[in-house]
Amino acid sequence: VNTFARAYPSYRIPGDPYAEVGPYAHNQYLHLAAEIGLAGLVVFLAVVGRLFLAVHRCVGRGGASFEAAVSAGLGAGLIGYLILGTLESSLFYGRGSMTFWFLAGLIMAIERIRGPR
């Protein structure tokens, strides 16, 4: 943990005007790969894939039910969060990671409420 912040000074160019911006990659996927390795990044992407599978199952079960609408909204929120992750390392801040896990928990709870196919 925190390997990016320790390794960054040895890789930055001399005279970097942004050296004091902060010890993170400004991209949560690059930062995840640097912090927890490619195996950890694959696990994170597997979790995200499982969340989208849950959204797909809830929305694709036919009808315009309340649970399907809520699941679609949560899925859209997750997509927005993940797009923002290309520009920011949101998972490395308390509120950012709380938002991700809150969305994940709600998505899985909605799938559980909907029950098996």
Side-chain angles (χ1 to χ4, degrees), residues 1-23:
V1 177
N2 204 25
T3 55
F4 183 84
R6 283 187 259 152
Y8 179 71
S10 60
Y11 288 100
R12 71 177 186 213
I13 60 172
D16 181 9
Y18 302 106
E20 300 304 321
V21 169

Side-chain angles (χ1 to χ4, degrees), residues 7 9 15-18 26 33 36-38 45 48 51-52 67 72 75-76 78 82 84 87 91 96 107 110 114:
D16 181 9
Y18 302 106
H26 299 285
I36 58 178
L38 290 177
L45 294 175
V48 169
L51 292 172
F52 282 120
E67 291 89 0
L78 183 62
L82 294 173
L84 177 67
L87 304 171
L91 282 172
I107 288 169
I110 294 280
R114 293 282 295 195

Side-chain angles (χ1 to χ4, degrees), residues 69-107:
V70 170
S71 184
L74 291 170
L78 183 62
I79 289 170
Y81 181 88
L82 294 173
I83 290 172
L84 177 67
T86 62
L87 304 171
E88 186 62 51
S89 297
S90 319
L91 282 172
F92 296 94
Y93 299 107
R95 289 185 182 153
S97 65
M98 183 179 68
T99 300
F100 174 78
W101 291 112
F102 187 67
L103 282 170
L106 286 173
I107 288 169

